[in-house]
Amino acid sequence: MSALDPRDVDLTRDPDLRKDLDATVRARTELGEEYDSALADSFLEQVGRRIDDVVDRRVRRHLAEEQMAAARGSRRPKPADSWAERYGFALITLVLAIPLSSIAAALAGPAGLVVAWLGIVGVNVVQAVRLNPELFAGRHTGRERSAEDD
């Protein structure tokens, strides 16, 4: 946003601002030096308004571009940054798997043990996909690829 945008007003080449400056200089020669500060304040106020307009236009454009990018879905979720975010959940579920396995095996036998471990694996898969949405995107089996190639 620091570079000049051709769609913004170039204050050095703004014809209206140039006319205002010329009018201020003519008014100074007609009114005399006692009005210098009032004329300068008036002109600087006009320049300030023009700068504010340019900044407002740039900010609105930037916000609109961000909203469009978000609407298109080009913003990706923040990847997990720390070791704890990546592996902490898996470690906690594995620690909890010990008592869950023993309770499931005691109450329902081998079928309960299988159900408990399917739940543990399922929860970890969901967490992995949540942290890395592209994990399973674009993966094809060999049969699907050979069918696509035909």
Side-chain angles (χ1 to χ4, degrees):
M1 275 184 21
S2 61
L4 283 178
D5 192 325
R7 296 173 287 192
D8 290 334
V9 176
D10 184 3
L11 294 177
T12 60
R13 296 184 182 151
D14 183 6
D16 293 334
L17 196 57
R18 176 69 63 188
K19 288 177 188 175
D20 290 341
L21 178 61
D22 291 340
T24 301
V25 170
R26 279 194 306 270
R28 184 201 178 269
T29 57
E30 292 174 8
L31 296 175
E33 291 182 12
E34 58 271 6
Y35 291 100
D36 278 354
S37 64
L39 291 170
D41 289 343
S42 172
F43 180 72
L44 290 176
E45 199 172 296
Q46 292 171 358
V47 170
R49 270 188 260 126
R50 295 254 167 72
I51 290 172
D52 288 343
D53 290 343
V54 169
V55 170
D56 286 344
R57 206 174 8 250
R58 285 183 182 178
V59 168
R60 273 189 254 117
R61 186 178 316 121
H62 181 71
L63 290 174
E65 288 170 358
E66 283 184 352
Q67 288 174 347
M68 289 299 294
R72 288 185 189 128
S74 64
R75 288 187 178 209
R76 295 170 44 160
K78 181 185 137 238
D81 291 335
S82 70
W83 186 87
E85 285 177 313
R86 290 179 186 229
Y87 302 108
F89 187 81
L91 289 175
I92 290 171
T93 58
L94 289 176
V95 168
L96 292 175
I98 296 168
L100 287 174
S101 297
S102 62
I103 293 170
L107 294 177
L113 186 62
V114 169
V115 169
W117 274 96
L118 286 175
I120 292 166
V121 169
V123 166
N124 279 288
V125 167
V126 168
Q127 176 70 4
V129 170
R130 187 185 72 77
L131 290 177
N132 189 6
E134 304 89 25
L135 193 62
F136 294 117
R139 303 251 178 173
H140 298 291
T141 63
R143 285 181 289 181
E144 289 172 347
R145 280 196 188 135
S146 62
E148 288 174 1
D149 292 339
D150 292 336

